[in-house]
Amino acid sequence: DLVAQWVAEPPLDGGRPARALLPDLPTRGTRRNPGLAAMAARCEELFAAELSSQVSGHGRRQLLRFGFEIVGDRHAGGRPLFSEGVELLSEVLHDPPLVEGRFRPDHVEQERANLVRAIEGLADDKATYAYRQMIETLHAGTPYALHSWGSADEARALTEADARAAWRTLREEARVRMLVVGEVSPEAAQSAAETLVARSTHRPPGTALAPPPDPLRAVQRRREVQRLSQSKLVLGFRL
């Protein structure tokens, strides 16, 4: 199989809640395949190719990943499946089913609600929740403390205009890198990168991350009591 990922690396800043909508909003459909059913049918035509998208954080960066896994060309009778997968991913990134230049209101509303539920649901995984509380306390006042999805209140306040502005920044300006794993020639990988960049003004990927600044403060303790029959203790140390 071939795996390709297009990874955008915008900063973890005030724009992160709107960008957190993007992994699921554009993948709902494209202008040529306007809807989840049409997208699923197109993936079936590509030998059951799988599209993927997600948002996460790393240091001071928000990482937005869009990619696909597809059968290698030599296992498909020479059909150029990799190129067809790249074209579909390019449609996802650059050609969503806009209505008068805007994202569909029902799509925005549904994905906004999904994002709010996902953020609120973070507290249900107590081990991860405890870890996040430690990170927020350890790196308070720096981007390292920020969750890549933003807060539930920030997500509720998102508008279609916010999502559209975030999409334009993502597809035109964000720092990006492309990862390809499988039997693909360097020339094919270069061609794929050019297709996905689509003559935009993306900057090169960021350099290695420096550690967060030393807060120069005393030991911090954060305790939260909830109604549950388990305990989670997380200790953070600066190395």
Side-chain angles (χ1 to χ4, degrees), residues 43-74:
C43 287
E44 282 299 315
E45 291 175 0
L46 299 177
F47 288 54
E50 293 184 8
L51 285 175
S52 62
S53 60
Q54 68 173 141
V55 59
S56 60
H58 178 59
R60 300 186 303 271
R61 301 173 191 164
Q62 184 183 35
L63 304 181
L64 292 96
R65 304 173 187 269
F66 298 82
F68 62 86
E69 182 173 352
I70 203 165
V71 173
D73 292 359
R74 72 185 182 94

Side-chain angles (χ1 to χ4, degrees), residues 203-223:
R203 292 171 292 166
T207 57
L209 287 170
D214 188 344
L216 297 175
R217 60 176 182 245
V219 172
Q220 303 292 301
R221 295 180 178 86
R222 182 168 179 170
R223 183 171 181 265

Side-chain angles (χ1 to χ4, degrees), residues 11-23:
L12 274 172
D13 57 16
R16 71 193 188 286
R19 290 191 297 266
L21 286 176
L22 298 182

Side-chain angles (χ1 to χ4, degrees), residues 58-192:
H58 178 59
R60 300 186 303 271
R61 301 173 191 164
Q62 184 183 35
L63 304 181
L64 292 96
R65 304 173 187 269
F66 298 82
F68 62 86
E69 182 173 352
I70 203 165
V71 173
D73 292 359
R74 72 185 182 94
H75 300 295
R79 179 177 170 182
L81 286 180
F82 178 69
S83 296
E84 293 184 52
V86 170
E87 287 295 333
L88 179 58
L89 185 58
S90 179
E91 290 178 28
V92 167
L93 293 171
H94 302 291
D95 199 15
L98 302 179
V99 178
E100 296 182 350
R102 301 171 182 267
F103 284 113
R104 284 179 44 175
D106 57 328
H107 286 182
V108 174
E109 181 178 350
Q110 290 166 9
E111 295 306 334
R112 181 175 54 214
N114 289 341
L115 180 59
V116 170
R117 283 195 294 269
I119 294 171
E120 292 178 337
L122 291 172
D124 294 336
D125 181 345
K126 300 306 178 183
T128 302
Y129 179 74
Y131 171 77
R132 281 301 314 170
Q133 301 305 303
M134 184 271 290
I135 291 295
E136 292 176 10
T137 301
L138 187 65
H139 298 307
T142 76
Y144 288 80
L146 301 177
H147 195 280
S148 60
W149 297 349
S151 69
D153 287 340
E154 289 172 328
R156 289 190 189 94
L158 292 174
T159 66
E160 188 280 333
D162 295 329
R164 187 158 27 96
W167 169 63
R168 286 177 175 169
T169 299
L170 175 75
R171 63 186 287 262
E172 296 175 4
E173 301 175 13
R175 296 182 182 273
V176 297
R177 70 180 74 222
M178 183 174 178
L179 311 176
V180 181
V181 179
E183 294 184 20
V184 178
S185 68
E187 294 77 17
Q190 179 66 33
S191 176

Side-chain angles (χ1 to χ4, degrees), residues 224-236:
E224 182 174 327
V225 179
Q226 298 182 349
R227 296 181 60 187
L228 73 166
S229 58
Q230 59 176 302
S231 298
K232 301 295 180 184
L233 173 64
V234 181
L235 303 178

